[in-house]
Amino acid sequence: METPLPASPAPTDPSPPTPGQTNRPQPSTPDPPLPEIPGTGLLRQGDSGHGVYELQVRLLQISHIYEGGAIDGRYDAEVRAAVTLFQKRYGVRGDESGVYGDNTRLALMLRTK
């Protein structure tokens, strides 16, 4: 005589979400931070890298600002002087003198390619 197998419990549906709650699975780890976009952020004397390189390229496009200046990705005294001159010539306010901040970046980007 065969012994009957115990009945398995019936699958249950998850309870419906309460208002404002979802049943989406939560990620086990947070998303990695987004990479920094080259050429963004505050740049000042002593900095180096792609953002400074881009700044130098743009400064060269403005007459009598950075003529003959190096395109080497280093924010030296010559780049600082060019940024200061640009800020004065175009009335850029809100950034420290000689510092390439958001206001200076916008003014320079509007005048260059």
Side-chain angles (χ1 to χ4, degrees):
M1 177 166 191
E2 285 186 34
T3 310
L5 295 173
S8 61
T12 59
D13 288 332
S15 60
T18 58
Q21 175 188 3
T22 63
N23 279 343
R24 283 185 245 143
Q26 298 299 318
S28 58
T29 58
D31 290 335
L34 295 174
E36 186 176 331
I37 299 169
T40 61
L42 192 72
L43 295 174
R44 63 180 63 225
Q45 190 169 346
D47 289 341
S48 62
H50 183 74
V52 178
Y53 176 89
E54 291 287 327
L55 168 59
Q56 291 169 323
V57 167
R58 288 185 183 271
L59 286 171
L60 279 172
Q61 295 176 40
I62 306 290
S63 296
H64 308 293
I65 293 285
Y66 188 61
E67 292 183 354
I71 310 253
D72 58 7
R74 285 185 250 162
Y75 204 121
D76 58 15
E78 189 176 6
V79 173
R80 184 179 194 283
V83 170
T84 299
L85 181 57
F86 176 82
Q87 290 168 326
K88 287 180 182 176
R89 183 179 292 172
Y90 292 97
V92 178
R93 303 272 187 263
D95 291 333
E96 187 180 331
S97 180
V99 174
Y100 192 54
D102 292 338
N103 295 334
T104 307
R105 181 184 318 281
L106 177 61
L108 185 59
M109 290 180 80
L110 290 172
R111 292 168 174 85
T112 59
K113 298 177 194 178

